[in-house]
Every structure is written in C-alpha cells, then in structure tokens.
Amino acid sequence: MIPKISPGFEDVLPVEYRELVQDGSYGRNLRIKDLGTFKESIEEHPLCAGCALSLSIRLIVASLPCPEDTIVVGTTGCNSILMPQLAIHNIHSLFGNQNAVASGLKRALKIRYPDKHKDVVVVAGDGGTADIGLSMTMHSWFRRENITTIMLDNEGYSNTGGQESSMTREGVVLYMAPLGKKYPKTRMFEIARESGCAYVAAVSPASPRRLEKMVRRAILVARAIGPTYVQIYCPCATNYKFSPSETLKRTKDDEQIREYMSSDAKELIERLGE
Amino acid sequence: MASAICSQKDYKVVPGPEAYLSPAAASMGIVLPEKGQGLIEGQIVSEKVAMEAIAKKLLGAKNPTFFPGPNVLWAVSEKAVAKAVALQEMVKAVPGMKIIPMPDYRPKYPMINPEVEINPNHPNLTIWHNEIDVCVFAGVHCHYANLALKIIRGGTDCYTIALCANPGHEDAMISLRDVHVEDIRRLTKVIERLREGSK
Ligand code: SF4
C-alpha cells in the first residue's frame, strides 16, 4: 500500500517522513541505477563508517521488485539497527528465529491476500543465519516456504564486539577470538542448494548490478516456486580493522560470485526476462 | 507464595515519577471499564464523568499536547481520516494545545528529535524536552500505548489521557473506551462548554 498522510497532519509529521511519502520508492518501479534520486531512509543511519553492510542494505532495498508489498524480517545484529530507518515494513525477531517468523508471516499473508504478491524477505547476519538460527533457516528450506533468505556475511559477530562465527574463515583472529578460528567457514551456499532452495546466489556490494539481478531473481523465484537464498559478502571494517576507505577494494578482492538455479527456476527467470 | 495483586482501592494511577520499573496497573488490580464507562486514576466512572474530567485537565494545563499515533496520522482508511479530522477539531478547542506525532514505533538510532516526534520507546524524552504537563494519546496501537504510558508514569510527572478505540488503558490516568468520531465530537463539545463557562 502506498502511504498517505491524513489531511491536516501533513505539517506535524517530521520532515523525513513527509519526504519518504513524497519522494520514496513505493509504487515507482525504481532500480539500483536510480539510487540517489529517491528517499530511502530517515536520516543518520547508525552503522560504522565504511560498513559494507550499510551499502549492501541500500542495494538490497533498491533491488526489491515491489517495496510497498515487501516485509523484511530480520534479527539481532548490526543490520538490525539500520533496518528501522528504512521505508520498508520490518519485523525484528528474537535472535535466530527469523526464518520461522517469516514462514508464519508468509503463510498468513497468502491467506489474507490471496490475489496479491506479498514478498517476505529475511535479511539477517551470519550469526543469525548460519549459527544460532541455522536450524530454523534450514527447516524453512526443507518445508519449501516461499520466502527469500538473504545473509549479510560479515564473517563474525560484529555488533557484540568481534566473536568468531561459523562463517569466519579458518585461522582468522578477532578481538574476542584471540587464538584464531579452528575450523573452516560453513558452506552455506551448498547447504542451501542441498536443502531445497530453488535459487541460490553469492555476491557482494562491489558488484551492484549483479547483486540487484540476484536479489530480484531470488524474490521472484520465491514467489512462484519455493525458498531462495542469497549470500552477500560484506566485510566489517571495525572488527577486521581496515580503513573505511578500503572497504570496497577488500570486498571486490574477496568476493565470490556464484549462482545456482533449479530447472523450474531457470525456466521462470527466462520467461520473466530477468 | 503470597499474591502480588493488590485490590483496586489500594492502587492509584497517578502522575509519577513512580519508579524506574513502574508496575503495569493491571498487575496492581486495576481493571478495564465496561462499555459506557471510563477510568479516572484507576477508578471506574461513567463515560460522562470521564469526559468532564478530561476537559478540565486539558483546559487547566500549562502545556497540553496531543500525541496522534499511526492509526490516525496515516490515511489508511476513510475511518482513519474522519477520526483525524475530529481529533484536530478537539485540539483547536483547547487553547494552546500542541500536536507532536508518533509516526511509527521503531526505535530511532542514534536518537529521536524530541521537539518534533514522540516514540513509545522513549516518550519521556519528548515530555521532558517540551515540559508537557498533560497529554492525550489517540490512534496508538494498544501494546505500544501501554508501553509509552508506563514509561511516562515511571519517569515524568505528566498527566496522561488515552482516547482508546478498544477497551481502554489501565496505565493512563484517564481513559475512555470505544472512542470513535462521534465520541470525539462529544468530548470537543464538553471542552467548548467548560471553556465558555469559565470565561
Ligand atoms: S561493527 Fe562492522 S558490521 Fe557492524 S556496523 Fe560496524 S563495520 Fe558494520
């Protein structure tokens, strides 16, 4: 639904809300190429300078096929403190519960709006997706829920000061993992594919057009076929101790672009021209 | 274990500051009014008595302020728009009454601007900053209204009034229930009558 302000209250609403209504993305079919020409979020986002997560979130939001009918379900993490400032419906679930909450929400929306697409997109960090919430993430895939899961992979628990996560690479030393990670990064791409995701992709914000394509494909496949997964590599400047100005170079150097689609998904994507 | 529930006569819902973690009025034995009734400081009264008390509080306030919530700020339905218009008429009837909106419920980081908005997660900031002594809530979803009302009671001395479309709020000092357009217009009439009478 496109938001409108009740008559007479236009002047009392804070200016950023008025701008979101007047110049926001709803109903305008905007894309990543249009970034900078529309209002995306209320002012002063709280993530660190040079955070690849904040760039990834901007790109994800600008890639949504239908932002006015999208609900993002997130969980605790750096990204969750930026989410409430976006012009997107957003649910914050308890740590790790995001795919269970998203499953229930999607089922309820199918009943409530049988003739409409309501996209439910999980956006969560690697701790929420690949560690604490792994069971609920995988079970939503086993159940073939029509939801998209996007993991913001910054390879650690950044919001709580730098513990290793299962997505941290082997040998990496972090503030709260002084002995170095003792086992390799969890292979979430393969887990998603083997768990029944119809579309699986890995990308980074250093390739914005590719990211847009993958997020759109994932959402369109989730609508029609079944669960989809996108893994976005977005390194954390603060805990990995690099300068904010190096973020994009680091991201580009280490990004791995991969894409898998089932035959149904391939057929759909070709039909839609995506 | 002895029950922590007190009887209604033992507990009054009055302006704070009560305590950092003020108890929910319901847990202290305050019950919601039936149809046609209202609450004043936890006591059940008739709707008429509650309306008179609201009018007196608003007209006697130094800095009365209306906090409209998302249910009336956003034009989601014709009902919402009609209610928004009726509430603005009520605000006009109270000399000097201000409007500070609650556009949504999401926690704002790094901070909210207490001059231009109120938020259920830190309503005390807006009340302290603007030195609000009497406030009216309308159009706020129940659980967020309860949260904001409890925080206000916990940390400020502001007198809270809830115009609720559902069964009312124990945590407000005065609460009406089932408040729709015609009820708001009746309240506005009471305010105008008392205002004219006091001239
Ligand atoms: S701690 Fe890392 S991931 Fe979190 S906001 Fe800062 S740079 Fe981004």
Side-chain angles (χ1 to χ4, degrees):
Chain A
M1 193 170 81
I2 316 279
K4 282 200 228 82
I5 302 168
S6 288
F9 280 137
E10 294 90 350
D11 292 344
V12 300
L13 269 187
V15 67
E16 62 259 34
Y17 287 90
R18 274 182 270 153
E19 288 172 354
L20 282 173
V21 172
Q22 284 153 19
D23 303 320
S25 62
Y26 284 10
R28 292 171 58 196
N29 197 21
L30 297 164
R31 306 288 285 258
I32 277 183
K33 67 174 170 33
D34 305 306
L35 265 174
T37 67
F38 61 96
K39 177 94 173 172
E40 308 151 52
S41 65
I42 57 177
E43 276 70 9
E44 298 179 19
H45 85 63
L47 304 192
C48 304
C51 176
L53 249 82
S54 63
L55 177 57
S56 305
I57 292 168
R58 272 188 90 190
L59 297 176
I60 293 168
V61 169
S63 306
L64 298 173
C66 193
E68 60 275 21
D69 284 316
T70 301
I71 293 127
V72 169
V73 183
T75 195
T76 308
C78 289
N79 71 86
S80 63
I81 53 175
L82 167 57
M83 287 298 175
Q85 309 203 190
L86 303 173
I88 294 288
H89 298 290
N90 162 243
I91 292 178
H92 179 94
S93 71
L94 279 183
F95 206 178
N97 287 357
Q98 64 280 354
N99 280 55
V101 171
S103 304
L105 179 65
K106 180 69 195 187
R107 290 177 186 208
L109 289 170
K110 272 189 203 169
I111 295 167
R112 175 72 179 77
Y113 301 97
D115 307 323
K116 218 169 182 188
H117 291 302
K118 294 275 181 185
D119 298 322
V120 176
V121 181
V122 170
V123 179
D126 44 310
T129 309
D131 290 357
I132 294 163
L134 181 62
S135 158
M136 276 172 274
T137 302
M138 286 178 66
H139 276 274
S140 74
W141 295 340
F142 298 156
R143 293 193 306 269
R144 303 286 189 266
E145 303 286 351
N146 291 93
I147 57 177
T148 298
T149 304
I150 300 179
M151 183 218 277
L152 297 167
D153 177 20
N154 62 1
E155 302 191 329
Y157 289 84
S158 298
N159 195 239
T160 43
Q163 295 85 358
E164 66 182 43
S165 81
S166 73
M167 297 303 284
T168 304
R169 290 176 222 191
E170 191 163 6
V172 166
V173 171
L174 288 168
Y175 286 119
M176 291 200 223
L179 299 178
K181 174 93 179 292
K182 297 267 190 280
Y183 58 95
K185 185 167 168 131
T186 299
R187 294 160 69 89
M188 281 300 283
F189 187 99
E190 288 76 9
I191 291 175
R193 190 184 60 206
E194 297 308 315
S195 303
C197 285
Y199 178 85
V200 184
V203 70
S204 91
S207 303
R209 292 292 172 93
R210 199 101 55 134
L211 184 149
E212 174 179 53
K213 189 171 250 198
M214 289 173 161
V215 168
R216 285 180 66 87
R217 286 179 168 182
I219 292 172
L220 296 170
V221 170
R223 268 186 198 171
I225 298 174
T228 58
Y229 174 66
V230 181
Q231 182 167 315
I232 299 183
Y233 171 61
C234 40
C236 162
T238 299
N239 284 284
Y240 277 80
K241 309 178 192 69
F242 56 84
S243 143
S245 60
E246 288 173 51
T247 303
L248 263 188
K249 185 176 176 320
R250 292 264 312 220
T251 310
K252 182 100 213 136
D253 289 349
D254 278 357
E255 83 171 339
Q256 289 188 358
I257 297 183
R258 298 167 73 187
E259 195 177 39
Y260 156 83
M261 54 189 98
S262 67
S263 51
D264 288 1
K266 190 163 191 279
E267 193 266 318
L268 178 83
I269 288 167
E270 278 168 6
R271 185 154 43 82
L272 296 175
E274 289 284 339
Chain B
M1 200 179 91
S3 166
I5 308 280
C6 304
S7 72
Q8 189 175 329
K9 66 179 165 26
D10 296 325
Y11 191 76
K12 272 190 161 306
V13 185
V14 290
E18 179 162 3
Y20 180 58
L21 285 173
S22 48
S27 73
M28 302 303 286
I30 306 296
V31 293
L32 287 169
E34 297 293 331
K35 281 189 191 303
Q37 298 177 325
L39 278 178
I40 299 181
E41 299 178 6
Q43 298 292 319
I44 288 176
V45 295
S46 73
E47 185 189 75
K48 192 162 167 267
V49 169
M51 278 200 186
E52 297 268 335
I54 292 171
K56 276 191 199 137
K57 272 287 165 195
L58 288 176
L59 292 169
K62 280 203 207 75
N63 199 1
T65 304
F66 172 45
F67 298 137
N71 282 338
V72 292
L73 279 171
W74 300 102
V76 289
S77 63
E78 281 175 22
K79 231 165 96 183
V81 170
K83 210 164 169 186
V85 171
L87 286 162
Q88 288 164 39
E89 289 165 7
M90 180 199 78
V91 169
K92 283 202 190 93
V94 181
M97 191 166 193
K98 273 197 312 212
I99 303 179
I100 297 184
M102 187 182 278
D104 64 16
Y105 306 132
R106 307 182 293 182
K108 304 276 159 39
Y109 296 108
M111 59 188 286
I112 66 152
N113 180 352
E115 241 160 64
V116 298
E117 69 175 307
I118 183 163
N119 183 292
N121 309 293
H122 12 56
N124 48 331
L125 301 182
T126 300
I127 287 169
W128 288 332
H129 183 90
N130 299 286
E131 298 182 7
I132 296 165
D133 57 343
V134 177
C135 70
V136 176
F137 276 84
V140 180
H141 292 86
C142 305
H143 43 303
Y144 285 106
N146 277 340
L147 174 65
L149 289 164
K150 235 158 73 63
I151 295 175
I152 293 171
R153 219 174 69 221
T156 81
D157 61 357
C158 181
Y159 201 95
T160 56
I161 296 163
L163 304 182
C164 178
N166 294 305
H169 286 281
E170 312 95 333
D171 287 292
M173 276 124 236
I174 307 183
S175 175
L176 286 178
R177 58 168 290 165
D178 307 311
V179 177
H180 302 295
V181 172
E182 55 284 9
D183 309 289
I184 299 165
R185 296 235 153 91
R186 274 196 292 135
L187 175 62
T188 304
K189 288 229 157 56
V190 178
I191 295 169
E192 286 167 348
R193 174 168 54 76
L194 291 191
R195 191 187 65 202
E196 295 311 314
S198 68
K199 270 186 186 165

